[in-house]
Amino acid sequence: MIRILPSLIAVIPLFAFGLVAEQLWRKKIMQGELGRKLVHILFGIWIAFWPLFISFNEIVFLCILMFFGTLLFRFLPLIHVGYDVPRKTIGQYIYPLSIAILAFLARENWQFTLAVLVLAIPDGMAAIIGGHFGKKAIMYRVYNHTKTVQGTASYFLLTMAIFTIFKTIGDFDVLSWISIFVFTGIATLLENVLAYGLDNLVIPVALMAVLRFL
């Protein structure tokens, strides 16, 4: 059963930020990769805490609606922010589906929150930080995709930071420091080699699988 009021409380902030982001796009303040990644980060941070007031089943339902919404906005000239990146990606479509899978697999709220934060923050900030350096960025290529050392280092450090917060403040003893370091390294590698936004699916779902079946 989908409860209307809690679901509205969950999605209204997303609509509000989406409208603000679109206005910033139209004013040419937040376009391209910056706009897409800021939406990616802020949506993810808010969604990570949805289990505080809606059920996992409701999260799955809302994320499926979000998926069809992203498809609709792709073909209707209503929303532009996030759809104007020059590179080929299906990350914006995978994103809600990935969160739906996380909600389906999660046993406890903290598992969902951790996996969504890992999905939202390191990837988004890596692109923003890497792009911030501009011509000073140390670039390298993986297949046909350009990466930056600064962005990759940011991804690794931010992922470690999220795990550290959960382990120290939240008494997170499911994974050892060694296993956290190894997973962060593997996640950073996957973020480099997975193209077209597939890292939005593979990395958080792999993390949830580890947490779910430990």
Side-chain angles (χ1 to χ4, degrees):
M1 179 179 178
I2 306 301
R3 297 168 299 162
I4 301 300
L5 182 57
S7 297
L8 286 175
I9 293 173
V11 300
I12 285 175
L14 300 184
F15 278 111
F17 178 72
L19 290 174
V20 171
E22 179 64 15
Q23 290 304 309
L24 292 175
W25 184 92
R26 292 175 186 271
K27 294 179 183 296
K28 299 183 178 181
I29 296 173
M30 193 174 74
Q31 293 188 327
E33 196 70 28
L34 174 61
R36 179 173 176 269
K37 290 303 184 181
L38 283 176
V39 170
H40 179 105
I41 293 168
L42 293 177
F43 272 42
I45 291 174
W46 174 241
I47 292 171
F49 297 97
W50 275 4
L52 294 177
F53 51 91
I54 61 175
S55 68
F56 286 135
N57 287 337
E58 289 167 332
I59 293 173
V60 172
F61 175 76
L62 292 177
C63 286
I64 291 174
L65 289 183
M66 287 173 58
F67 168 73
F68 286 109
T70 57
L71 287 178
L72 180 64
F73 290 138
R74 173 65 179 84
F75 298 103
L76 293 179
L78 299 174
I79 300 294
H80 303 85
V81 63
Y83 293 93
D84 62 337
V85 293
R87 61 188 176 87
K88 294 181 179 179
T89 178
I90 56 173
Q92 65 268 42
Y93 311 115
I94 293 175
Y95 194 80
L97 291 179
S98 177
I99 296 174
I101 293 172
L102 296 177
F104 179 77
L105 292 177
R107 281 179 170 175
E108 301 180 41
N109 290 356
W110 68 265
Q111 295 175 342
F112 177 84
T113 299
L114 173 60
V116 174
L117 290 178
V118 168
L119 163 65
I121 298 175
D123 178 65
M125 288 303 299
I128 293 172
I129 292 172
H132 173 74
F133 283 89
K135 294 181 180 180
K136 295 182 180 179
I138 304 172
M139 297 183 179
Y140 62 98
R141 295 185 66 82
V142 179
Y143 303 121
N144 293 321
H145 301 275
T146 301
K147 299 287 185 177
T148 68
V149 171
Q150 291 89 340
T152 298
S154 299
Y155 185 95
F156 181 89
L157 293 174
L158 286 167
T159 303
M160 280 294 298
I162 292 170
F163 277 114
T164 298
I165 292 170
F166 270 76
K167 190 167 180 62
T168 55
I169 297 178
D171 193 25
F172 178 63
D173 294 326
V174 177
L175 297 175
S176 66
W177 284 112
I178 294 176
S179 59
I180 288 174
F181 184 83
V182 170
F183 180 86
T184 301
I186 294 174
T188 303
L189 176 63
L190 290 174
E191 194 275 336
N192 269 263
V193 301
L194 292 174
Y196 308 112
L198 290 174
D199 55 305
N200 286 342
L201 175 66
V202 175
I203 295 172
V205 172
L207 172 58
M208 180 59 73
V210 172
L211 299 175
R212 173 67 171 78
F213 298 108
L214 279 176

